[in-house]
DNA sequence: GTTGATGCAAAACCTTTGCACCGAG
DNA sequence: CTCGGTGCAAAGGTTTTGCATCAAC
């Protein structure tokens, strides 16, 4: 797991310590590709080591975020979800407003808009933090089936 | 205020009641083009009628959202902001991750992506609910000035 | 007069913080 | 051995809920 080494390096550089808790949070994030809430992460961590506290999870996540290892975004139900930036291809999310499901899309899809926004508003789009709301395939089919 | 009539109509249709509180929340939203938090809305409403309760504001906002009069999005600081959909041109937001400022952009800017997402993922983008994170003009200038 | 909406207070969440103790370096 | 990190508990902030009362229809 390369992110572990990277974490260790960043920590050393700042006189911070590598702990089992941080390692576990990192590993859990690694295994949850779609992102997870702090609570979900805690549950996974607890299955490895039950005594870990939610506040530790939050502190680890904040730390990882400040090291650009993790990014957070607001998922459905207004819940904050955290996701490893290092392992997966950079990507954005499609979020269904009906069923809440998240899909992943390639960043290239957004290149055109990004360029446009830079030109028109001098705004640097950070697509990897982006959640696009809408209605997913399944839900829109259900809807049209229901109204038919 | 056309949205008032629309609200009245929707309410009647559902056997719900038009109340001074709902009217006030609607009017305040009308006067806060950039959107506002429940708390901010309450403050404005309180200046008209001090006894109104925060929970009433929340209930009104939930109601308006379910009637598609209002949309909510997560602004900077993870706060939920509410915005009238009816009066302004439909638009999306640019949100600066550095300074938190919100800009408004035209929906047409997103037409290309919307079409692409529909084609590739059969996902119906609801651009009017969209908040695009990134770095604004001012902040990116500051940054390059600082590093120079 | 009915019954939906309100205000109030309390609960329910989620996230952060203070502090004594523990353990990574 | 030192000082940064942890667990625990408590506080903070926001949103929701239960209930008696009020007022729109």
């Amino acid at each position: 797991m390369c992110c572990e080494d990277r974490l260790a390096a960043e920590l050393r550089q700042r006189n911070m310590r590598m702990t089992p808790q941080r390692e576990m949070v990192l590993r859990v994030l690694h295994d949850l590709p779609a992102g997870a809430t702090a609570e979900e992460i805690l549950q996974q961590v607890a299955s490895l080591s039950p005594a870990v506290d939610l506040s530790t999870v939050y502190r680890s996540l904040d730390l990882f975020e400040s090291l650009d290892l993790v990014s957070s975004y607001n998922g459905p139900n207004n819940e904050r979800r955290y996701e490893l930036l290092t392992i997966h291809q950079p990507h954005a999310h499609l979020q269904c407003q009906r069923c809440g499901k998240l899909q992943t899309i390639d960043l290239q899809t957004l290149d055109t808009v990004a360029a446009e926004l830079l030109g028109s508003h001098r705004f640097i789009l950070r697509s990897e933090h982006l959640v696009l709301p809408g209605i997913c395939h399944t839900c829109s089919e259900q809807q049209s089936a229901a109204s038919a």
Side-chain angles (χ1 to χ4, degrees), chain A:
Chain A
M1 192 161 60
C2 62
C3 38
E4 205 172 313
D5 301 337
R6 189 168 143 202
L7 175 58
E10 298 271 15
L11 290 176
R12 209 171 309 121
Q13 196 181 327
R14 281 155 226 253
N15 267 10
M16 298 173 119
R17 292 169 190 172
M18 178 58 108
T19 64
Q21 290 87 338
R22 288 176 178 169
E23 255 181 279
M24 284 188 288
V25 171
L26 192 63
R27 168 192 290 224
V28 165
L29 280 168
H30 196 275
D31 295 342
L32 292 169
T37 62
E39 194 68 53
E40 287 164 358
I41 293 169
L42 176 67
Q43 276 170 30
Q44 296 297 314
V45 169
S47 72
L48 305 172
S49 167
V52 177
D53 194 76
L54 229 204
S55 63
T56 303
V57 173
Y58 276 112
R59 287 189 273 231
S60 303
L61 290 170
D62 287 351
L63 173 65
F64 295 171
E65 208 168 354
S66 75
L67 300 179
D68 269 315
L69 280 170
V70 157
S71 110
S72 73
Y73 59 90
N74 290 305
N77 306 343
N78 231 49
E79 68 206 0
R80 199 186 282 177
R81 306 192 78 89
Y82 299 84
E83 186 178 58
L84 251 198
L85 283 176
T86 45
I87 41 162
H88 307 288
Q89 295 291 15
H91 61 273
H93 293 287
L94 302 181
Q95 169 192 127
C96 181
Q97 297 187 307
R98 199 85 69 204
C99 67
K101 251 183 213 147
L102 281 173
Q103 295 175 68
T104 290
I105 59 165
D106 205 280
L107 275 201
Q108 291 163 11
T109 319
L110 300 167
D111 283 351
T112 329
V113 214
E116 217 168 311
L117 290 177
L118 189 60
S120 59
H121 293 75
R122 311 229 161 272
F123 184 85
I124 303 166
L125 182 64
R126 305 206 62 187
S127 326
E128 73 279 15
H129 293 193
L130 185 49
V131 179
L132 296 162
I135 308 295
C136 76
H137 186 23
T138 325
C139 287
S140 66
E141 270 186 350
Q142 275 174 17
Q143 199 168 13
S144 48
S147 65

